Amino acid sequence: MEVQVDIGFAQLVKLIKGMPQKQWLKLKKEVEEKSLAEQDREDYKDLLLNGPVFSTEQLESLENTRNAINEWRIK
């Protein structure tokens, strides 16, 4: 069974501040883990979008090398 409750931000903060220390630490750990996971995803996205790329010359060299290897394998 699932129950959904609309709580304002101020009420949520008040509830969290009233939590026992053990529950507060558990909640804090969960939030930090989610934050780290999101940061890792952003770092990965930045790497993919801004990372190094091959130049046209490097791509041509790679293609020539592959063709040469393929010719050698066929003989």
Side-chain angles (χ1 to χ4, degrees):
M1 177 170 32
E2 187 175 315
V3 177
Q4 186 173 357
V5 179
D6 287 333
I7 299 176
F9 184 76
Q11 288 177 306
L12 182 60
V13 171
K14 185 178 179 181
L15 288 171
I16 291 172
K17 286 183 177 180
M19 293 174 81
Q21 182 72 16
K22 189 174 182 179
Q23 286 181 335
W24 161 245
L25 292 174
K26 187 175 178 181
L27 175 64
K28 183 178 175 185
K29 180 181 174 187
E30 288 291 326
V31 170
E32 287 173 350
E33 285 177 2
K34 182 176 181 185
S35 177
L36 287 175
E38 289 174 359
Q39 183 61 43
D40 287 346
R41 184 181 176 130
E42 283 299 313
D43 290 345
Y44 183 62
K45 180 180 171 184
D46 288 342
L47 174 65
L48 290 177
L49 293 175
N50 302 318
V53 295
F54 283 110
S55 68
T56 304
E57 295 82 19
Q58 289 172 318
L59 290 173
E60 289 173 359
S61 174
L62 182 62
E63 184 177 353
N64 292 336
T65 303
R66 284 182 180 167
N67 290 336
I69 291 172
N70 286 338
E71 287 178 18
W72 174 76
R73 286 179 35 201
I74 293 173
K75 291 181 182 182

